[in-house]
Amino acid sequence: DADSWYTMAVKTDGTLWAWGSNSYGQFGDGTNEGSHVPRQSMEGVSRVYTDDQCTLILKQDGTLWAWGGNDYGQLGNGSTTPSDLPICVLDQVTAVSAGDYHVAALRADGSLWTWGDNLYGQLGDGTLESRSAPAKVLDQAAAVSAGAGSTAALLGDQTLWTWGDNLFGQLGDG
């Protein structure tokens, strides 16, 4: 996954590699030193997701981990303190989508959990309050996509739900 300042890649053997800027600790290796060449930072990784400040990974065991900048609580650890080491956020996760400073995660039971920036209501909890810990917002989601300030979820009944910023009509509500 590439971001404006750094790139993370998962090799087929499950190792995570990072290069570019590491000013927020996005590599998850306990440092803030960037690299011009790929360097390994973790094993057992299934998928990686990035935003400007933080990195999230879904491990092969279904646990979701986060590290890096945390201005809006996007690490999901109940604070806004950054971390240059991985923090376990949720277990039994099947899919993740990282927007701009907010995160949406699907769990094995079909529940959708969100946290981070909520300036436009992109967390889907009926408020505009940012949240630094995951909270369940839907019971039966099948897929999720987090955008810059909005979120879309496909439910189990094949209906599509959208919420958040609608400046350019991205919610599709006409």
Side-chain angles (χ1 to χ4, degrees):
D1 200 27
D3 194 77
S4 302
W5 307 105
Y6 70 108
T7 301
M8 305 291 287
V10 179
K11 290 178 69 174
T12 56
D13 65 0
T15 56
L16 180 66
W17 295 79
W19 60 97
S21 174
N22 189 29
S23 58
Y24 291 99
Q26 300 100 307
F27 291 5
D29 61 2
T31 75
N32 291 85
E33 298 171 18
S35 178
H36 294 279
V37 296
R39 79 177 185 226
Q40 185 177 342
S41 71
M42 187 174 264
E43 297 178 351
V45 177
S46 177
R47 295 282 319 257
V48 62
Y49 312 87
T50 63
D51 78 6
D52 282 343
Q53 294 183 348
C54 77
T55 301
L56 297 109
I57 59 124
L58 183 56
K59 291 193 83 172
Q60 293 165 347
D61 66 3
T63 56
L64 179 65
W65 295 75
W67 59 85
N70 197 23
D71 289 348
Y72 300 95
Q74 63 266 40
L75 296 186
N77 65 344
S79 80
T80 54
T81 303
S83 177
D84 55 15
L85 292 171
I87 298 164
C88 187
V89 181
L90 285 173
D91 62 359
Q92 299 180 6
V93 175
T94 58
V96 178
S97 187
D100 285 356
Y101 311 111
H102 78 286
V103 180
L106 286 176
R107 296 183 84 185
D109 65 0
S111 59
L112 177 64
W113 297 68
T114 61
W115 62 95
D117 185 23
N118 199 26
L119 178 64
Y120 304 106
Q122 62 264 46
L123 297 184
D125 64 359
T127 76
L128 298 178
E129 306 268 332
S130 295
R131 189 174 48 250
S132 62
K136 184 168 70 168
V137 294
L138 289 173
D139 286 322
Q140 291 300 318
V144 66
S145 180
S150 62
T151 305
L154 179 66
L155 301 189
D157 64 4
Q158 298 301 298
T159 58
L160 181 66
W161 291 72
T162 59
W163 56 89
D165 188 17
N166 199 26
L167 181 61
F168 300 105
Q170 56 268 53
L171 299 185
D173 62 0

